[in-house]
Amino acid sequence: MCVLVVVPTGAGAAPLPPVVAGCCGCHAVHGGDRALPLLAGRSASQIVAEMKAFRTGARPATVMGRIAKGFTPDEIAAIAAWYAGQR
Amino acid sequence: MREAGGTAANAKNRRQFLRNAVAAAATAAPWPLPLIAQGAPHVVIIGGGFAGASCARALRKDNAGVGVTLVERQHIYTAPPLCNGILGGLRTLADQQFGYGGIRAAGIRVVNAAATAVNPHARSVTLGSGDKLSYDRLVIAAGIELRFDAIAGYSEAVAEQLPHAWTSDGTQIMLLQRQIEAMEDGGLVAITAPANPARCPPAPYERASMIAYFLKRRKPRSKLVIIDAKDQFTMQALFQEAWNALYPGLIEWAPPSKGGDIASIDAAKKTINTDFDTYNFAVASVIPPQKAAAIAARAGVADRTGWCPVDPITFESLLQKNIHVIGDAALAGAMPKSAFAAAVEGELCASAIVALIAGKTPAGAKLLSNCYSLVGRDYAISDTGVFRPVAGQYVEVAGAGGVSPLDGPPALRAEEARFAHAWFRTATRETFG
Ligand SMILES: Cc1cc2nc3c(=O)[nH]c(=O)nc-3n(C[C@H](O)[C@H](O)[C@H](O)COP(=O)(O)OP(=O)(O)OC[C@H]3O[C@@H](n4cnc5c(N)ncnc54)[C@H](O)[C@@H]3O)c2cc1C
């Protein structure tokens, strides 16, 4: 189950503002379908690089190009950090 | 493609299995209900589809201090996404069906009953048995109600002959499947498509595609007509490109600008009349216009459109305090009525409820929806959107989202078909466990 990906503020106590929900619809943390890439536990820098490649079209895709264009670099960094922290 | 005998035998086994499951559920000792701590905040969720089940799970995950009761009238949920694949022989009913054992195992109290009334002042939900559940916050995730009275000659009883196959009740899609299996070659299959807003706008055209896939192989002299309430439809160019390539001459699309509006249906004579035309069908799937599920109106959260306006950050009703509405029942700006969006809304609503209970201010979120339509066996197309709340409404993020490209290579269509089935397996496992 995907929790909302949040922008890390370092505050800790207050609820962090969620930026996106929906990635886990396809990229589940545990037990997702093998046909869909597993993101949990990959390095944040690798995820950021791939999202950038989707955004620019350098990496061809079905839906990821359309999705990557919807997020700012900060949001992509937050999503990548969240997945990198999941195991 | 499966043989007719195999399909029938499987259907029979499936029915037997379901009968056993229902009998077991009715006679077994009550499932040990997770205790809800005295004084702990209690959230009741009505409806265990994509929206309600994902909200329940997220509430348990985010904060074990909140008691969650999920009220669902069916023992078995038949997931509508990709169920049209059953008509093409590409999927089975078993692929679509889920019980609630996984949700219970996650520590959620599941009550298999219909919610019949809501009292927003007493903050209680009445069940079919007469029992009452009280709540601190209520989530209505009950999906849609079909407006049977919107088409002259159609009704809930007539739907037993002319299936809508538009809800999470699996008998309807299997009825339609048996009808196309049994029809004589050379007959006409009619689909009526409703105006928007409606559940999953591309799905009537996916249904036409999957029936065409079946007809082309098994009843090649048959034809299909879509009698539409709209003069244009979502992914129209992509669907029509695919139909020309895969099923040339088989599918006719009849918008109101050509044949006029649907005037009436005669189930006995097997005709659908528009203002200008009469269609004599062998099989018809009538998809009527829709509104939020009946319990939403009873709770006072539906407006004059029949849908439920909500705050986009908390999904709390704009009409009743402490009641949230998520999934297809909600009117949430540009958010589509898809299973993908319903599940995401469930998670966002859960996080907002946890914040509200803690006396904190919930934050907004960007939401994502992605919806696949099966057009052939190795051919699917998709519609994607990224949404964010602006001034009380979800709007699409400009420059993002969109649909599959026209003129795409076969390998791309095939990859989307693989992803469609893979998404379904992932999303249903995430939701139902
Ligand atoms: C043919 C078809 C194809 C589709 N394809 C796709 C697709 O490819 N991708 C996609 O994302 N979406 C698709 N959809 C849309 C998707 O099915 C819906 O958007 C989704 O099911 C909405 O989820 P929900 O939880 O809001 O409602 P539902 O799934 O309808 O769940 C509501 C639940 O509430 C229960 N309920 C209702 N009233 C009561 C009551 N009073 N008491 C107790 N329980 C109650 C019902 O039994 C039901 O289980 C498709 C839909 C159809 C019809």
Side-chain angles (χ1 to χ4, degrees):
Chain A
M1 160 112 317
C2 189
V3 285
L4 302 170
V5 177
V6 297
V7 175
T9 63
L16 304 168
V19 296
V20 56
C23 306
C24 299
C26 292
H27 303 285
V29 171
H30 305 287
D33 194 89
R34 267 173 302 145
L36 299 167
L38 183 72
L39 299 183
R42 277 202 208 173
S43 82
S45 60
Q46 189 194 356
I47 298 174
V48 168
E50 282 177 27
M51 286 291 275
K52 225 181 242 165
F54 283 132
R55 246 182 107 95
T56 60
R59 179 171 170 190
T62 54
V63 300
M64 281 312 301
R66 302 176 227 156
I67 291 170
K69 290 193 185 90
F71 297 100
T72 65
D74 283 353
E75 290 165 348
I76 288 174
I79 293 165
W82 185 82
Y83 270 115
Q86 305 294 315
R87 278 183 198 272
Chain B
M1 160 139 298
R2 330 167 147 271
E3 292 309 308
T7 306
N10 283 349
K12 196 170 162 216
N13 287 344
R14 189 76 209 163
R15 278 197 300 278
Q16 188 56 46
F17 166 77
L18 286 181
R19 264 201 298 275
N20 292 345
V22 170
T27 54
W31 200 287
L33 296 178
L35 287 177
I36 293 173
Q38 281 288 314
H42 186 212
V43 177
V44 174
I45 301 173
I46 301 175
F50 282 95
S54 96
C55 185
R57 265 178 192 275
L59 276 168
R60 285 299 296 174
K61 170 137 189 154
D62 282 7
N63 183 342
V66 177
V68 184
T69 302
L70 182 67
V71 179
E72 167 57 55
R73 62 187 172 196
Q74 303 186 111
H75 289 280
I76 304 279
Y77 177 77
T78 305
L82 307 189
C83 76
N84 288 321
I86 295 173
L87 306 173
L90 302 177
R91 297 180 63 84
T92 66
L93 182 61
D95 293 337
Q96 304 298 130
Q97 294 196 315
F98 302 88
Y100 288 92
I103 307 255
R104 287 188 165 105
I108 294 151
R109 187 163 86 130
V110 179
V111 175
N112 270 128
T116 53
V118 173
N119 184 333
H121 306 292
R123 282 197 258 144
S124 70
V125 175
T126 306
L127 305 179
S129 59
D131 287 351
K132 285 193 172 144
L133 298 171
S134 56
Y135 62 81
D136 294 290
R137 290 197 171 259
L138 175 65
V139 179
I140 295 185
I144 56 162
E145 195 76 13
L146 298 168
R147 290 173 46 204
F148 285 108
D149 58 354
I151 303 174
Y154 199 58
S155 66
E156 202 164 354
V158 171
E160 307 281 310
Q161 291 166 262
L162 313 182
H164 51 76
W166 213 245
T167 66
S168 58
D169 159 12
T171 57
Q172 281 273 311
I173 191 77
M174 295 318 290
L175 174 61
L176 182 55
Q177 192 271 338
R178 285 196 305 278
Q179 288 178 338
I180 59 168
E181 189 85 48
M183 79 179 238
E184 270 179 38
D185 191 10
L188 177 70
V189 178
I191 296 175
T192 73
N196 291 326
R199 161 171 286 182
C200 200
Y205 314 95
E206 180 192 62
R207 175 163 298 170
S209 309
M210 284 291 99
I211 294 177
Y213 179 82
F214 170 85
L215 293 177
K216 188 177 169 192
R217 277 156 191 78
R218 298 279 301 278
K219 326 249 167 171
R221 293 187 297 119
S222 309
K223 298 265 185 258
L224 186 145
V225 62
I226 304 163
I227 306 166
D228 211 322
K230 308 176 288 296
D231 275 317
Q232 54 205 23
F233 61 90
T234 177
M235 297 196 281
Q236 182 169 342
L238 277 162
F239 274 111
Q240 289 176 333
E241 174 189 65
W243 294 341
N244 286 335
L246 301 173
Y247 321 114
L250 202 159
I251 298 176
E252 180 199 350
W253 175 60
S257 59
K258 278 203 216 151
D261 291 316
I262 300 167
S264 65
I265 293 176
D266 189 327
K269 288 201 189 119
K270 295 196 158 191
T271 57
I272 295 178
N273 304 300
T274 66
D275 295 336
F276 305 119
D277 290 314
T278 295
Y279 296 91
N280 295 295
F281 60 80
V283 173
S285 175
V286 175
I287 304 165
Q290 298 139 44
K291 59 185 177 183
I295 192 69
R298 286 192 214 133
V301 293
D303 70 10
R304 271 190 300 178
T305 66
W307 303 99
C308 306
V310 293
D311 175 276
I313 293 175
T314 59
F315 281 83
E316 188 164 356
S317 165
L318 299 181
L319 306 179
Q320 296 286 352
K321 271 197 169 348
N322 303 314
I323 304 183
H324 303 250
V325 186
I326 53 175
D328 282 2
L331 199 61
M335 285 302 286
K337 297 194 185 303
S338 71
F340 198 114
V344 169
E345 289 172 16
E347 289 177 16
L348 182 61
C349 180
S351 105
I353 286 176
V354 170
L356 289 168
I357 286 174
K360 294 171 178 158
T361 310
K366 265 188 185 168
L367 301 184
L368 185 55
S369 176
N370 180 51
C371 206
Y372 291 102
S373 294
L374 300 176
V375 188
R377 195 191 65 185
D378 301 312
Y379 197 130
I381 54 180
S382 60
D383 187 357
T384 307
V386 184
F387 305 86
R388 67 194 178 100
V390 176
Q393 284 296 355
Y394 277 101
V395 297
E396 263 201 89
V397 174
V403 302
S404 307
L406 272 172
D407 237 344
L412 183 82
R413 306 296 191 219
E415 187 167 34
E416 294 224 70
R418 272 198 307 283
F419 284 167
H421 298 286
W423 162 75
F424 182 91
R425 286 189 291 268
T426 301
T428 52
R429 192 186 289 187
E430 287 282 283
T431 306
F432 297 98

